[in-house]
Amino acid sequence: IPVLKIGEYIDQINDGEEVLLVSDHSCTKNSIQDFARKNHFTCKTIEAINGVWEITLTKINIKYHLEHFEDNL
């Protein structure tokens, strides 16, 4: 369900903004990481307490990163 919820708001998240998700479902960690890779977000996950994960998503400015990467070729 967290992936579905974040998907509903993806267009409202601006480049550089962070979203913090907290979950006690271990499968959420993996599904959010997959979502992040597919949707141009970085993803940092920590186990805040035993069995509870804090997942921070940051939207990447893909245009900036592509331009920066091309400059270094």
Coordinates of all heavy atoms in Angstrom, one line a residue:
I1 N 0.8 -1.2 0.0 CA 0.0 0.0 0.0 C 0.9 1.3 0.0 O 0.5 2.2 -0.7 CB -1.0 0.0 1.2 CG1 -2.0 -1.1 0.9 CG2 -1.6 1.3 1.3 CD1 -3.2 -1.2 1.8
P2 N 2.0 1.3 0.7 CA 2.8 2.6 0.6 C 3.2 2.9 -0.8 O 3.2 4.1 -1.2 CB 4.0 2.2 1.5 CG 3.5 1.2 2.5 CD 2.6 0.4 1.7
V3 N 3.6 2.0 -1.6 CA 3.9 2.3 -3.0 C 2.7 2.9 -3.8 O 2.9 3.8 -4.5 CB 4.4 1.0 -3.8 CG1 4.6 1.3 -5.2 CG2 5.8 0.5 -3.2
L4 N 1.6 2.4 -3.5 CA 0.4 2.9 -4.2 C 0.1 4.3 -3.7 O -0.2 5.2 -4.5 CB -0.9 2.0 -3.9 CG -0.8 0.6 -4.4 CD1 -2.1 -0.1 -3.9 CD2 -0.8 0.6 -6.0
K5 N 0.3 4.6 -2.4 CA 0.1 5.9 -1.9 C 1.1 6.9 -2.5 O 0.7 8.0 -2.9 CB 0.2 5.9 -0.4 CG -1.0 5.3 0.3 CD -2.2 6.3 0.1 CE -3.4 5.8 0.9 NZ -4.6 6.6 0.6
I6 N 2.4 6.5 -2.5 CA 3.4 7.5 -3.0 C 3.1 7.7 -4.5 O 3.4 8.8 -5.0 CB 4.8 7.0 -2.7 CG1 5.8 8.1 -2.7 CG2 5.3 5.9 -3.6 CD1 5.8 9.0 -1.6
G7 N 2.7 6.7 -5.2 CA 2.4 6.8 -6.6 C 1.3 7.8 -6.9 O 1.3 8.5 -7.9
E8 N 0.3 7.9 -6.0 CA -0.8 8.9 -6.1 C -0.2 10.3 -6.1 O -0.8 11.2 -6.7 CB -1.8 8.7 -5.0 CG -2.6 7.5 -5.1 CD -3.6 7.3 -3.9 OE1 -3.9 8.3 -3.2 OE2 -4.0 6.2 -3.7
Y9 N 0.9 10.6 -5.4 CA 1.4 11.9 -5.1 C 2.7 12.2 -5.9 O 3.2 13.3 -5.7 CB 1.6 12.1 -3.6 CG 0.3 12.1 -2.9 CD1 0.0 10.9 -2.2 CD2 -0.6 13.1 -2.8 CE1 -1.2 10.8 -1.5 CE2 -1.8 13.1 -2.1 CZ -2.1 11.9 -1.5 OH -3.3 11.8 -0.8
I10 N 3.1 11.3 -6.7 CA 4.4 11.4 -7.4 C 4.5 12.7 -8.2 O 5.6 13.4 -8.2 CB 4.7 10.2 -8.3 CG1 6.2 10.2 -8.7 CG2 3.8 10.2 -9.5 CD1 6.6 8.9 -9.3
D11 N 3.5 13.2 -8.8 CA 3.5 14.4 -9.6 C 3.6 15.7 -8.8 O 3.9 16.7 -9.3 CB 2.3 14.5 -10.6 CG 2.4 13.4 -11.7 OD1 3.5 13.0 -12.0 OD2 1.4 13.0 -12.2
Q12 N 3.3 15.5 -7.5 CA 3.3 16.7 -6.6 C 4.6 16.9 -5.9 O 4.8 17.9 -5.2 CB 2.1 16.6 -5.6 CG 0.8 16.6 -6.2 CD -0.3 16.3 -5.2 OE1 -0.1 16.5 -4.0 NE2 -1.5 15.8 -5.6
I13 N 5.5 15.9 -6.1 CA 6.8 15.9 -5.4 C 7.8 16.6 -6.3 O 8.0 16.2 -7.5 CB 7.3 14.5 -5.0 CG1 6.2 13.8 -4.1 CG2 8.6 14.6 -4.3 CD1 6.5 12.4 -4.0
N14 N 8.4 17.7 -5.9 CA 9.3 18.5 -6.7 C 10.7 18.0 -6.5 O 11.1 17.3 -5.6 CB 9.3 20.0 -6.2 CG 7.9 20.6 -6.5 OD1 7.3 20.4 -7.5 ND2 7.4 21.3 -5.5
D15 N 11.5 18.3 -7.6 CA 12.9 17.9 -7.5 C 13.6 18.3 -6.2 O 13.4 19.5 -5.8 CB 13.7 18.5 -8.7 CG 13.2 17.9 -10.1 OD1 12.6 16.9 -10.1 OD2 13.5 18.6 -11.1
G16 N 14.3 17.4 -5.6 CA 15.0 17.8 -4.4 C 14.2 17.6 -3.1 O 14.8 17.5 -2.0
E17 N 12.9 17.4 -3.2 CA 12.1 17.2 -2.0 C 12.2 15.8 -1.5 O 12.5 14.9 -2.3 CB 10.6 17.5 -2.4 CG 10.2 18.9 -2.5 CD 8.7 19.1 -2.6 OE1 8.0 18.3 -3.1 OE2 8.3 20.2 -2.2
E18 N 12.1 15.7 -0.2 CA 12.2 14.4 0.5 C 10.8 14.0 1.0 O 10.0 14.8 1.4 CB 13.1 14.4 1.6 CG 14.6 14.6 1.2 CD 15.5 14.6 2.4 OE1 15.1 14.7 3.6 OE2 16.7 14.4 2.2
V19 N 10.6 12.7 1.0 CA 9.4 12.1 1.5 C 9.9 11.0 2.5 O 10.7 10.2 2.2 CB 8.5 11.4 0.4 CG1 7.3 10.7 1.0 CG2 8.1 12.4 -0.6
L20 N 9.3 11.0 3.7 CA 9.7 10.1 4.7 C 8.5 9.1 4.9 O 7.4 9.5 5.2 CB 10.0 10.7 6.1 CG 10.3 9.8 7.2 CD1 11.6 9.0 7.0 CD2 10.4 10.6 8.5
L21 N 8.8 7.8 4.7 CA 7.9 6.7 5.0 C 8.3 5.9 6.2 O 9.5 5.7 6.3 CB 7.8 5.8 3.8 CG 7.4 6.4 2.4 CD1 7.7 5.4 1.3 CD2 6.0 6.9 2.4
V22 N 7.4 5.5 7.0 CA 7.7 4.7 8.2 C 6.8 3.5 8.0 O 5.6 3.6 7.9 CB 7.5 5.4 9.5 CG1 7.8 4.5 10.7 CG2 8.3 6.7 9.6
S23 N 7.4 2.3 8.1 CA 6.7 1.1 8.0 C 7.2 0.0 8.9 O 8.4 -0.1 9.2 CB 6.8 0.6 6.5 OG 6.0 -0.6 6.4
D24 N 6.3 -0.9 9.3 CA 6.7 -2.1 10.1 C 6.6 -3.3 9.2 O 6.6 -4.4 9.8 CB 5.9 -2.2 11.4 CG 4.4 -2.3 11.2 OD1 4.0 -2.2 10.0 OD2 3.7 -2.6 12.1
H25 N 6.4 -3.2 7.9 CA 6.3 -4.3 7.0 C 7.6 -4.5 6.2 O 8.0 -3.6 5.5 CB 5.2 -4.2 6.0 CG 3.8 -4.2 6.7 ND1 3.3 -5.3 7.2 CD2 3.0 -3.1 7.0 CE1 2.1 -5.0 7.8 NE2 1.9 -3.7 7.7
S26 N 8.4 -5.6 6.4 CA 9.7 -5.7 5.8 C 9.6 -5.7 4.2 O 10.5 -5.2 3.6 CB 10.3 -7.0 6.2 OG 9.5 -8.1 5.9
C27 N 8.5 -6.1 3.7 CA 8.3 -6.1 2.2 C 8.2 -4.7 1.7 O 8.6 -4.5 0.5 CB 7.2 -7.0 1.8 SG 5.6 -6.5 2.4
T28 N 7.8 -3.8 2.5 CA 7.7 -2.4 2.0 C 9.0 -1.8 1.6 O 9.2 -1.1 0.7 CB 7.0 -1.5 3.1 OG1 5.7 -2.0 3.4 CG2 7.0 -0.1 2.7
K29 N 10.0 -2.2 2.4 CA 11.4 -1.7 2.1 C 11.8 -2.1 0.7 O 12.3 -1.2 0.0 CB 12.4 -2.3 3.1 CG 13.8 -1.9 3.0 CD 14.7 -2.5 4.0 CE 14.8 -4.0 3.8 NZ 15.9 -4.6 4.5
N30 N 11.6 -3.3 0.3 CA 12.0 -3.7 -1.0 C 11.2 -3.1 -2.1 O 11.7 -2.7 -3.2 CB 12.0 -5.2 -1.1 CG 13.0 -5.9 -0.2 OD1 14.0 -5.3 0.1 ND2 12.7 -7.1 0.2
S31 N 9.9 -3.0 -1.9 CA 9.0 -2.5 -2.9 C 9.2 -1.0 -3.1 O 9.2 -0.5 -4.3 CB 7.5 -2.8 -2.7 OG 7.1 -2.2 -1.5
I32 N 9.5 -0.2 -2.1 CA 9.8 1.2 -2.2 C 11.2 1.4 -2.9 O 11.3 2.3 -3.7 CB 9.8 1.9 -0.8 CG1 8.4 1.9 -0.2 CG2 10.4 3.2 -0.9 CD1 7.4 2.8 -1.0
Q33 N 12.2 0.5 -2.6 CA 13.4 0.7 -3.3 C 13.3 0.4 -4.8 O 13.9 1.2 -5.6 CB 14.4 -0.3 -2.7 CG 14.9 0.1 -1.3 CD 15.7 -1.0 -0.6 OE1 15.7 -2.2 -0.9 NE2 16.5 -0.5 0.4
D34 N 12.5 -0.5 -5.2 CA 12.2 -0.8 -6.6 C 11.5 0.4 -7.2 O 11.8 0.9 -8.3 CB 11.3 -2.0 -6.8 CG 12.1 -3.3 -6.5 OD1 13.4 -3.3 -6.5 OD2 11.5 -4.3 -6.3
F35 N 10.5 1.0 -6.5 CA 9.8 2.1 -7.0 C 10.7 3.3 -7.2 O 10.7 4.0 -8.2 CB 8.7 2.5 -5.9 CG 8.0 3.8 -6.2 CD1 6.9 3.9 -7.1 CD2 8.5 5.0 -5.7 CE1 6.3 5.1 -7.3 CE2 7.9 6.2 -5.9 CZ 6.8 6.3 -6.8
A36 N 11.6 3.5 -6.2 CA 12.6 4.6 -6.3 C 13.5 4.5 -7.5 O 13.7 5.5 -8.3 CB 13.4 4.7 -5.0
R37 N 14.0 3.3 -7.8 CA 14.8 3.2 -9.0 C 14.1 3.5 -10.3 O 14.6 4.1 -11.2 CB 15.4 1.7 -9.0 CG 16.6 1.5 -8.2 CD 17.2 0.2 -8.4 NE 16.4 -0.9 -8.0 CZ 16.4 -1.4 -6.7 NH1 17.1 -0.9 -5.8 NH2 15.6 -2.4 -6.4
K38 N 12.9 3.0 -10.4 CA 12.1 3.2 -11.6 C 11.6 4.6 -11.8 O 11.2 5.0 -12.9 CB 10.9 2.2 -11.6 CG 11.3 0.8 -11.6 CD 10.1 -0.1 -11.5 CE 10.6 -1.6 -11.5 NZ 9.5 -2.5 -11.2
N39 N 11.5 5.4 -10.7 CA 10.9 6.8 -10.8 C 11.8 7.9 -10.4 O 11.4 9.0 -10.1 CB 9.7 6.8 -9.9 CG 8.6 5.9 -10.4 OD1 7.9 6.3 -11.3 ND2 8.4 4.7 -9.8
H40 N 13.1 7.7 -10.5 CA 14.1 8.8 -10.4 C 14.1 9.4 -9.0 O 14.1 10.6 -8.8 CB 13.9 9.9 -11.4 CG 13.8 9.4 -12.8 ND1 14.9 8.8 -13.4 CD2 12.8 9.3 -13.7 CE1 14.5 8.4 -14.6 NE2 13.3 8.7 -14.8
F41 N 14.1 8.5 -8.0 CA 14.3 8.9 -6.6 C 15.5 8.2 -6.0 O 15.8 7.1 -6.4 CB 13.1 8.5 -5.7 CG 11.8 9.3 -5.9 CD1 11.0 9.1 -7.0 CD2 11.5 10.3 -5.0 CE1 9.8 9.8 -7.1 CE2 10.4 11.0 -5.1 CZ 9.5 10.8 -6.2
T42 N 16.2 8.9 -5.1 CA 17.1 8.1 -4.3 C 16.4 7.6 -3.1 O 15.3 8.1 -2.7 CB 18.3 9.1 -3.8 OG1 17.7 10.1 -3.0 CG2 19.1 9.6 -4.9
C43 N 16.9 6.6 -2.5 CA 16.2 5.9 -1.4 C 17.2 5.5 -0.3 O 18.2 4.9 -0.6 CB 15.6 4.6 -1.9 SG 14.6 3.7 -0.7
K44 N 17.0 6.0 0.9 CA 17.8 5.7 2.1 C 16.9 5.0 3.1 O 15.9 5.6 3.5 CB 18.5 6.9 2.6 CG 19.4 6.6 3.8 CD 20.3 7.8 4.1 CE 19.6 8.9 4.7 NZ 20.4 10.0 5.3
T45 N 17.3 3.8 3.5 CA 16.5 3.1 4.4 C 17.3 2.8 5.7 O 18.5 2.3 5.6 CB 16.1 1.7 3.8 OG1 15.5 2.0 2.6 CG2 15.2 0.9 4.7
I46 N 16.7 3.0 6.9 CA 17.3 2.6 8.1 C 16.3 1.9 9.0 O 15.1 2.2 8.9 CB 17.9 3.8 8.9 CG1 16.8 4.8 9.3 CG2 19.0 4.5 8.2 CD1 17.2 5.9 10.3
E47 N 16.7 1.0 9.7 CA 15.8 0.3 10.7 C 15.9 1.1 12.0 O 16.9 1.0 12.7 CB 16.3 -1.2 10.9 CG 15.2 -2.0 11.6 CD 15.5 -3.4 11.7 OE1 16.6 -3.9 11.2 OE2 14.6 -4.2 12.2
A48 N 14.9 1.9 12.2 CA 14.9 2.9 13.3 C 14.9 2.1 14.6 O 15.6 2.5 15.6 CB 13.7 3.8 13.2
I49 N 14.0 1.2 14.7 CA 13.9 0.2 15.9 C 13.7 -1.1 15.3 O 13.3 -1.3 14.1 CB 12.9 0.6 16.9 CG1 11.5 0.7 16.3 CG2 13.2 2.0 17.5 CD1 10.3 0.9 17.3
N50 N 13.8 -2.1 16.1 CA 13.7 -3.5 15.6 C 12.3 -3.7 14.8 O 11.3 -3.5 15.5 CB 13.8 -4.5 16.7 CG 13.9 -5.9 16.2 OD1 14.3 -6.2 15.1 ND2 13.5 -6.9 17.1
G51 N 12.4 -4.0 13.5 CA 11.2 -4.2 12.8 C 10.5 -3.0 12.2 O 9.4 -3.1 11.6
V52 N 11.0 -1.8 12.4 CA 10.4 -0.6 11.9 C 11.4 0.2 11.1 O 12.5 0.5 11.5 CB 9.9 0.3 13.1 CG1 9.3 1.6 12.5 CG2 8.9 -0.4 13.9
W53 N 11.1 0.4 9.8 CA 12.0 1.1 8.9 C 11.5 2.5 8.6 O 10.3 2.8 8.4 CB 12.0 0.3 7.5 CG 12.7 -1.0 7.7 CD1 14.1 -1.3 7.5 CD2 12.2 -2.2 8.1 NE1 14.3 -2.6 7.8 CE2 13.2 -3.2 8.2 CE3 10.9 -2.7 8.5 CZ2 13.0 -4.5 8.5 CZ3 10.7 -4.0 8.8 CH2 11.7 -4.9 8.9
E54 N 12.5 3.4 8.5 CA 12.3 4.7 8.0 C 13.0 4.8 6.6 O 14.1 4.5 6.5 CB 13.0 5.8 8.9 CG 12.3 5.9 10.3 CD 12.9 6.9 11.2 OE1 14.0 7.5 10.8 OE2 12.3 7.2 12.2
I55 N 12.1 5.1 5.7 CA 12.6 5.2 4.3 C 12.5 6.6 3.8 O 11.4 7.2 3.8 CB 11.7 4.2 3.4 CG1 11.7 2.8 4.0 CG2 12.2 4.2 2.0 CD1 10.7 1.9 3.5
T56 N 13.6 7.2 3.4 CA 13.6 8.5 2.9 C 13.8 8.5 1.4 O 14.8 8.0 0.9 CB 14.7 9.4 3.5 OG1 14.6 9.3 5.0 CG2 14.7 10.8 3.1
L57 N 12.8 9.0 0.7 CA 12.9 9.2 -0.8 C 13.2 10.6 -1.1 O 12.6 11.5 -0.6 CB 11.6 8.8 -1.4 CG 11.1 7.3 -1.3 CD1 9.7 7.2 -1.8 CD2 12.1 6.4 -2.0
T58 N 14.1 10.8 -2.1 CA 14.4 12.2 -2.5 C 14.3 12.1 -4.1 O 14.9 11.3 -4.7 CB 15.9 12.6 -2.1 OG1 16.0 12.4 -0.7 CG2 16.1 14.0 -2.6
K59 N 13.5 13.1 -4.6 CA 13.3 13.1 -6.0 C 14.6 13.7 -6.7 O 15.0 14.8 -6.3 CB 12.1 13.9 -6.4 CG 11.7 13.8 -7.9 CD 10.3 14.3 -8.1 CE 10.0 14.0 -9.6 NZ 8.6 14.5 -9.9
I60 N 15.1 13.1 -7.7 CA 16.3 13.5 -8.4 C 15.9 14.4 -9.5 O 14.9 14.2 -10.2 CB 17.0 12.3 -9.0 CG1 17.5 11.3 -7.9 CG2 18.2 12.7 -9.9 CD1 18.0 10.0 -8.4
N61 N 16.6 15.5 -9.7 CA 16.5 16.4 -10.9 C 17.2 15.7 -12.0 O 18.4 15.8 -12.2 CB 17.0 17.7 -10.6 CG 16.9 18.7 -11.8 OD1 16.8 18.2 -12.9 ND2 16.8 19.9 -11.5
I62 N 16.4 14.8 -12.8 CA 17.0 14.0 -13.8 C 17.7 14.8 -14.9 O 18.7 14.4 -15.4 CB 16.0 13.0 -14.4 CG1 16.7 11.9 -15.2 CG2 14.9 13.7 -15.2 CD1 17.5 11.0 -14.4
K63 N 17.1 16.0 -15.3 CA 17.7 16.8 -16.3 C 19.1 17.3 -15.9 O 20.1 17.2 -16.6 CB 16.8 18.0 -16.6 CG 17.3 18.9 -17.7 CD 16.4 20.0 -18.0 CE 17.0 20.9 -19.1 NZ 16.2 22.1 -19.3
Y64 N 19.2 17.7 -14.6 CA 20.5 18.1 -14.1 C 21.5 17.0 -14.1 O 22.7 17.2 -14.6 CB 20.4 18.7 -12.7 CG 21.7 18.9 -12.0 CD1 22.5 20.0 -12.2 CD2 22.2 17.9 -11.1 CE1 23.7 20.2 -11.6 CE2 23.5 18.1 -10.5 CZ 24.2 19.2 -10.8 OH 25.4 19.4 -10.2
H65 N 21.1 15.8 -13.7 CA 22.0 14.7 -13.6 C 22.4 14.2 -15.0 O 23.6 13.9 -15.2 CB 21.4 13.6 -12.8 CG 21.4 13.8 -11.3 ND1 22.5 13.6 -10.6 CD2 20.5 14.3 -10.5 CE1 22.3 14.0 -9.3 NE2 21.0 14.4 -9.3
L66 N 21.5 14.3 -16.0 CA 21.9 13.9 -17.3 C 22.9 14.9 -17.9 O 23.9 14.5 -18.6 CB 20.7 13.8 -18.2 CG 19.7 12.6 -17.9 CD1 18.5 12.7 -18.8 CD2 20.5 11.3 -18.2
E67 N 22.6 16.2 -17.7 CA 23.6 17.2 -18.2 C 24.9 17.1 -17.6 O 26.0 17.2 -18.2 CB 23.0 18.6 -18.0 CG 21.8 18.9 -18.9 CD 21.1 20.2 -18.5 OE1 21.5 20.8 -17.5 OE2 20.1 20.6 -19.2
H68 N 24.9 16.8 -16.3 CA 26.2 16.7 -15.5 C 27.0 15.5 -16.0 O 28.2 15.5 -16.2 CB 25.9 16.6 -14.0 CG 27.2 16.5 -13.2 ND1 28.0 17.6 -13.1 CD2 27.7 15.5 -12.5 CE1 29.0 17.2 -12.3 NE2 28.9 16.0 -12.0
F69 N 26.3 14.4 -16.2 CA 26.9 13.2 -16.7 C 27.5 13.4 -18.1 O 28.6 13.0 -18.3 CB 25.9 12.0 -16.7 CG 26.4 10.7 -17.2 CD1 27.3 10.0 -16.4 CD2 26.1 10.3 -18.5 CE1 27.8 8.8 -16.9 CE2 26.6 9.1 -19.0 CZ 27.5 8.3 -18.2
E70 N 26.7 14.0 -19.0 CA 27.2 14.2 -20.3 C 28.5 15.1 -20.3 O 29.4 14.9 -21.1 CB 26.1 14.8 -21.2 CG 25.0 13.9 -21.5 CD 23.8 14.5 -22.2 OE1 23.9 15.8 -22.5 OE2 22.9 13.8 -22.5
D71 N 28.6 16.1 -19.4 CA 29.7 16.9 -19.3 C 31.0 16.2 -18.9 O 32.1 16.6 -19.2 CB 29.5 18.1 -18.3 CG 28.5 19.1 -18.8 OD1 28.2 19.1 -20.1 OD2 27.9 19.9 -18.0
N72 N 30.8 15.1 -18.3 CA 32.0 14.3 -17.8 C 32.4 13.2 -18.7 O 33.3 12.4 -18.4 CB 31.7 13.8 -16.4 CG 31.6 14.9 -15.4 OD1 32.5 15.7 -15.4 ND2 30.6 14.8 -14.5
L73 N 31.7 13.1 -19.9 CA 32.1 12.0 -20.8 C 33.4 12.4 -21.6 O 33.7 13.4 -21.9 CB 31.0 11.7 -21.8 CG 29.8 11.0 -21.2 CD1 28.7 10.9 -22.2 CD2 30.1 9.7 -20.6

